[in-house]
Amino acid sequence: MSETLQVIEPATEAVLAEIPRAGVAEADAAVARAKAAFPGWKAIAPGDRSRLLHALAHLLQDNLEELAVLEARNAGKPIADARGEIGMVVETFAYYAGAPERLLGDTIPVAGGMGFTVREPLGVVALITPWNFPLCIAAWKVAPALAAGNTVVLKPAELTPLTALRLEQLVVEAGIPEGVVNVVAGPGSTAGARLCAHPDVAKVAFTGSTEVGRSIAATAAQTIKRVTLELGGKSANVVFADAEIERAAAAAPMAVFGNAGQDCCARSRILVQSSVLDTFLDALHDAVAQIVVGDPLSEATTMGPLISASHRDTVAAFVDADSPVSMHGETPEGPGFWYPPTVLAPVDPSSRAATDEIFGPIVCVIPFKDEAHAIELANDTIYGLSGSIWTRDGGKALRVARALDTGVLSINSNSSVRVSTPFGGFKQSGVGRELGPHALEAYTEIKTIYYATQEH
Ligand code: NAD
């Protein structure tokens, strides 16, 4: 195996960087550093830990443009989106910087004394992240983990390790002690697998495919590690006949073609009430025609390339001569892992394109008859991550929202993720929640203490 990792720029297919390739030995060394740093980090007064996290948030803000350009080039995402993501990284660290002094416990009335709870950090936590939102998803894990007093080993996806490596430098520059955050840039099969099996790792927080999530959960079970899993999705965008059709159609493309469809929250099934199908499709085609596919560093670009040649092949295999292609967008000529925004309509809900997570710019439009049919179709999936409901009827919106087996929903909107609200999936989309106050629970253990007060 090569000692270096070649990092490729998806828009040009050129080598962007060559970095040392971490394996089992490097994973072990990172866990040892994190273990050594844990007692010191846990002992830092909550207010001081808070100040250090604020310092890191400021430093990230100061370096926002550099990080955004690095992310745009390495992940192939439009620069405007990359700026937004690094902005969310800053916001995530700022939000959790307020947490160390708010890790509250309970006092509980019990016979003969006082019962109370405190929240303790877990120790060394392994954070394994995907290539689609590299630094953003890393921040969702690193920030609450540090706020709660844990030390971390972060393993970014081998295709997109560059911003994580820069974060590791900024952490130290912010004054956070060496060893508190350790980045291991290497393959999942070696470095990642070792972290999941390592006896000194207390928890694995993973974002990635459902398939890898299953194997991580099985490995982590051997040492009863805590596990949080954020996995795949096949989310529904449900458009009722009484919705603002133009608005729903105008918003639909970027809800699935954003990040070139490589988004776990992609609304990749658009369920449209049959009576408005033609009107909706006309407006959808107009909106898809507005997408600008091209150089991620151009301010005009709204969709970049896919992450790799092999991923493009996987995506392309979902469309064949029998597919009901109602629209194919344009892509640039020349090098780059391009695939055009593609609308399939009307799609048989049992076809592979409608059931599998494609993770690329292909959307399936599926007609439905009535409310009950929409709910049945939306829930007919192993996944349950996000989704949208478009209607002017408030009662119906809430009825359908309660009926859908999904972790995150938007009404008359396609937005899924906010730093202050919990995010995660039902069913095979995952276990546990990230962001909001809930993430802190996932990085702490509750300890119950009983203090006897009776006289002897
Ligand atoms: P992936 O599962 O292939 O890899 C994710 C990470 O796991 C990478 O860092 C990889 O190196 C590592 N890994 C692979 N095999 C491993 C093993 N055996 N042990 C330990 N680590 C291992 O996923 P991907 O292709 O990078 O990302 C795409 C997937 O991520 C999609 O399915 C998408 O839906 C999902 N995703 C989910 C969310 C969410 O929040 N639910 C967010 C983003 C992406």
Side-chain angles (χ1 to χ4, degrees):
M1 188 167 70
S2 152
E3 296 297 304
T4 59
L5 201 59
Q6 277 197 340
V7 181
I8 306 295
E9 186 167 7
T12 61
E13 304 185 28
V15 176
L16 178 59
E18 205 149 340
I19 59 168
R21 175 196 294 255
V24 170
E26 288 75 16
D28 283 349
V31 172
R33 287 196 301 277
K35 188 179 178 186
F38 176 60
W41 183 243
K42 181 185 174 187
I44 289 180
D48 291 336
R49 213 185 302 144
S50 175
R51 273 184 283 283
L52 288 167
L53 289 172
H54 272 303
L56 177 57
H58 285 298
L59 210 45
L60 286 160
Q61 177 69 47
D62 293 346
N63 289 273
L64 189 145
E65 190 61 22
E66 175 215 322
L67 287 162
V69 170
L70 199 55
E71 200 81 306
R73 293 187 68 185
N74 191 178
K77 59 180 74 229
I79 184 68
D81 295 357
R83 285 192 194 105
E85 285 173 34
I86 305 301
M88 189 182 199
V89 169
V90 173
E91 215 190 312
T92 305
F93 278 99
Y95 177 80
Y96 287 109
E101 293 174 300
R102 293 176 178 81
L103 284 170
L104 307 178
D106 299 308
T107 53
I108 300 159
V110 286
M114 287 283 297
F116 61 96
T117 63
V118 289
R119 287 196 171 270
E120 301 285 15
L122 303 169
V124 177
V125 297
L127 313 176
I128 301 180
T129 52
W131 44 258
N132 59 341
F133 298 106
L135 196 60
C136 214
I137 289 177
W140 298 358
K141 298 178 185 337
V142 175
L146 295 187
N150 303 281
T151 54
V152 313
V153 178
L154 168 64
K155 198 210 81 61
E158 50 272 48
L159 295 173
T160 55
L162 300 182
T163 46
L165 289 165
R166 187 72 183 107
L167 173 72
E168 188 181 36
Q169 297 169 342
L170 293 173
V171 161
V172 174
E173 220 178 289
I176 293 172
E178 300 256 5
V180 171
V181 174
N182 307 274
V183 175
V184 174
S189 56
T190 53
R194 175 59 182 155
L195 293 174
C196 299
H198 200 297
D200 290 336
V201 169
K203 176 193 168 93
V204 179
F206 169 76
T207 298
S209 59
T210 295
E211 190 186 347
V212 172
R214 264 186 219 113
S215 95
I216 284 182
T219 305
Q222 300 309 307
T223 41
I224 316 291
K225 295 190 197 323
R226 281 73 189 125
V227 176
T228 308
L229 302 173
E230 297 287 353
L231 309 175
K234 189 75 186 177
S235 297
N237 191 356
V238 184
V239 182
F240 285 99
D242 62 1
E244 288 181 60
I245 301 297
E246 295 288 330
R247 212 179 123 213
M254 290 326 280
V256 57
F257 301 141
N259 214 40
Q262 304 164 121
D263 181 349
C264 54
C265 288
R267 273 81 167 154
S268 51
R269 293 181 299 150
I270 308 181
L271 311 185
V272 184
Q273 198 151 13
S274 308
S275 55
V276 291
L277 182 63
D278 291 344
T279 317
F280 180 86
L281 273 178
D282 286 347
L284 179 70
H285 291 158
D286 288 348
V288 173
Q290 310 293 315
I291 295 175
V292 181
V293 183
D295 175 9
L297 295 182
S298 159
E299 301 289 343
T301 294
T302 53
M303 193 183 120
L306 296 179
I307 192 70
S308 66
S310 70
H311 185 56
R312 181 180 52 189
D313 292 346
T314 308
V315 168
F318 279 93
V319 179
D320 59 26
D322 297 329
S323 300
V325 175
S326 76
M327 179 166 181
H328 252 323
E330 303 286 323
T331 57
E333 299 289 322
F337 308 125
W338 308 103
Y339 192 82
T342 301
V343 180
L344 305 182
V347 175
D348 171 355
S350 65
S351 66
R352 211 167 68 86
T355 59
D356 292 14
E357 182 184 48
I358 299 176
F359 223 56
I362 298 175
V363 70
C364 295
V365 179
I366 304 170
F368 69 85
K369 291 191 299 283
D370 54 19
E371 185 178 326
H373 190 207
I375 292 167
E376 184 194 322
L377 286 171
N379 284 340
D380 186 19
T381 167
I382 61 165
Y383 298 111
L385 190 56
S386 68
S388 296
I389 300 162
W390 295 81
T391 171
R392 287 190 177 94
D393 178 339
K396 179 159 67 182
L398 291 177
R399 240 179 4 252
V400 175
R402 293 299 305 269
L404 296 190
D405 301 330
T406 186
V408 185
L409 268 172
S410 325
I411 296 169
N412 297 329
S413 157
N414 291 319
S415 131
S416 298
V417 183
R418 248 161 240 94
V419 170
S420 55
T421 55
F423 174 75
F426 279 29
K427 302 195 280 186
Q428 294 191 36
S429 284
V431 175
R433 292 293 178 270
E434 300 204 291
L435 298 174
H438 299 70
L440 291 163
E441 290 168 17
Y443 289 100
T444 52
E445 290 280 17
I446 292 180
K447 183 183 282 172
T448 303
I449 301 175
Y450 172 69
Y451 198 126
T453 55
Q454 71 268 47
E455 290 183 83
H456 296 287

